[in-house]
Structure formats: C-alpha cells, structure tokens
Amino acid sequence: MDAIIYCRVSTDKKTQETSLQRQQEELKKLAHLHHLNVKKVVMEKASGYDVDREGILDVLHTMKEEKISVLLIQDETRLGRGNARIALLHAFHKENATIYTISHQGQLQLSESDSMVLDIISLVEEHQRKLHNAKIKRGMKRAVKNGYRPQQNLKNQGVNSGREKKEAPIEEIVRLRHNGLTFAEISVTLKGFGYNISKATVHRRYQEYQESAQSLDKTKEI
C-alpha cells in the first residue's frame, strides 16, 4: 500500500530540526516494517492546536487526489492537539485512511473516549444531512404546490449540469416569495434545482428588487 509520512514540530528552534529528521527516519523504518510504499514526506513547523496548517492540508489533499490510504506519524499528538486532533482524526476517518504510529508500532489504537467522540460526530453529520435533505424536499413540495414549475421557469436545464449555478433568476425569487415561502425555504428550494444561493443572498436580492421597483414607481410619478 502507498503511504505518506507526516512529521511536525511546534517551534522554529534549531534544535527541533533534529527532531524532524529523527521522525522521518523512524517512520521510514516503520513503513519498511509494514511493507508500505512511501510516496511523499511532509514536514512542517506549526502548532498542533491549529487545524489550517499548510502541511497537514497538503497531506489530506494528496491522499484524496492520489488515493493514498495510509498515514505514518510518530504519535497522535503529531497529528494535532486538543480539538484540532479530534477534527483531523475525523477528517482522515472520512477518507478511509489508516494511521500508523511509531508509538503503537503499527495501526493507531484510539482510546475508548476518542472512539466515542468520533462516533458522535459521524452520527451528528448524518442527521444534519438528513435534516438538510428534508428541508429541501419540503421547500420544493411547497413551491410546486404554490404553482412553481421548474421545468418551465428555470432556463438552460441540463446545460453545464455538473457545475453549481452562481446566479438565481430574480423572477423566481419574487414568484416564490409572493407564494408565501420564507427566504430560507426559497434558498433550499433553489438549491434543490442546482442554484447555490444562501438565505441571506435570497433576502438581499429580494430587497434589491423591491428598491428597484420603488425607484421605478417614483420615476413614473415624476
């Protein structure tokens, strides 16, 4: 199997250079012991409490793009500390990555509390997906019931279908609003048809429409 080596120290002190080199050497031996093919070595100097570290983000990106399934680290604290550690463990778990550590001389063995936390996070994410899908379904049903016909009103169906649409037709926002939908419901309804538009954006577009209509009325009066 292919693997990535990740080494980290928390400071820029010159004494830490030897620590990085030592981690790399020991992890290469661990890879050899388990017949792993090291495709990349990432070393960085950064706090373990930060999630947005250039090195660890590079590791995640490379593993996903190159379908690499094994991460080699000295111990789980090299991955991160505090909440950052849990967040990164979850991120690698979602990528179906196996983590090997020197401290375990093989696969990382999570504590019972860590396993429980990761299970809870996965469960919450699953329920969030279900809730989001239910909101989209509800919004679409309500829109159609109130006369919304996407096959007639949304232009260019199937064109660039693999891309998210950045704009939503203002006439559809106005139509849905006049049919009694809330801005949140309009947002999830349009997302269901491929328009990536937030509730705040829907609200802003509708306000701009109203302001424009009022300006036009004043002009007619003059």
Side-chain angles (χ1 to χ4, degrees):
M1 291 186 292
D2 291 336
I4 291 181
I5 285 176
Y6 175 70
C7 311
R8 182 186 65 81
V9 292
S10 58
T11 70
D12 286 325
K13 291 181 180 178
K14 213 158 184 70
T15 53
Q16 294 297 322
E17 291 290 345
T18 56
S19 176
L20 282 175
Q21 293 301 322
R22 185 177 66 254
Q23 287 180 47
Q24 181 182 185
E25 291 169 5
E26 291 177 350
L27 289 169
K28 284 183 176 179
K29 290 178 182 178
L30 182 65
H32 180 72
L33 178 65
H34 291 278
H35 309 290
L36 299 171
N37 179 35
V38 177
K39 300 287 288 185
K40 189 173 187 177
V41 176
V42 176
M43 297 191 291
E44 71 176 341
K45 301 173 184 178
S47 170
Y49 292 99
D50 295 332
V51 175
D52 56 340
R53 308 190 307 261
E54 186 63 33
I56 201 66
L57 294 177
D58 182 29
V59 169
L60 281 165
H61 174 76
T62 303
M63 294 186 80
K64 186 172 185 177
E65 291 297 311
E66 301 185 18
K67 304 295 187 295
I68 298 174
S69 58
V70 179
L71 174 68
L72 297 166
I73 54 177
Q74 183 183 49
D75 57 63
E76 59 183 291
T77 64
R78 296 305 91 197
L79 193 63
R81 293 182 180 275
N83 293 334
R85 180 179 62 87
I86 290 295
L88 288 167
L89 283 172
H90 179 59
F92 283 107
H93 176 71
K94 288 175 69 175
E95 296 299 328
N96 295 315
T98 302
I99 301 176
Y100 282 70
T101 73
I102 294 172
S103 58
H104 289 98
Q105 280 299 297
Q107 291 190 34
L108 170 65
Q109 302 299 314
L110 293 175
S111 67
E112 186 177 341
S113 59
D114 282 347
S115 295
M116 183 177 66
V117 170
L118 291 174
D119 286 343
I120 291 172
I121 293 173
S122 297
L123 186 63
V124 169
E125 281 193 343
E126 179 61 26
H127 280 285
Q128 285 179 330
R129 279 193 295 270
K130 289 181 179 179
L131 179 60
H132 181 67
N133 290 337
K135 287 169 67 179
I136 290 177
K137 186 176 180 181
R138 177 177 179 271
M140 290 171 65
K141 281 185 175 180
R142 186 175 176 188
V144 171
K145 182 179 179 181
N146 289 333
Y148 185 56
R149 297 294 179 266
Q151 66 273 23
Q152 297 174 2
N153 300 321
L154 297 182
K155 299 177 181 178
N156 301 320
Q157 289 291 301
V159 177
N160 296 326
S161 57
R163 301 178 183 177
E164 289 184 335
K165 299 178 180 67
K166 298 300 182 182
E167 299 293 335
I170 185 62
E171 62 269 18
E172 299 309 327
I173 293 176
V174 174
R175 179 196 294 271
L176 293 172
R177 182 60 176 165
H178 287 176
N179 283 341
L181 271 70
T182 66
F183 294 120
E185 289 171 337
I186 294 172
S187 171
V188 295
T189 299
L190 293 177
K191 282 180 180 177
F193 293 113
Y195 287 88
N196 186 24
I197 184 169
S198 67
K199 179 183 74 172
T201 302
V202 170
H203 185 208
R204 185 172 64 252
R205 298 275 172 81
Y206 186 72
Q207 282 186 319
E208 290 171 353
Y209 162 79
Q210 286 187 312
E211 291 171 359
S212 177
Q214 289 173 358
S215 297
L216 183 61
D217 288 340
K218 288 181 180 179
T219 301
K220 287 181 179 178
E221 290 175 3
I222 294 173

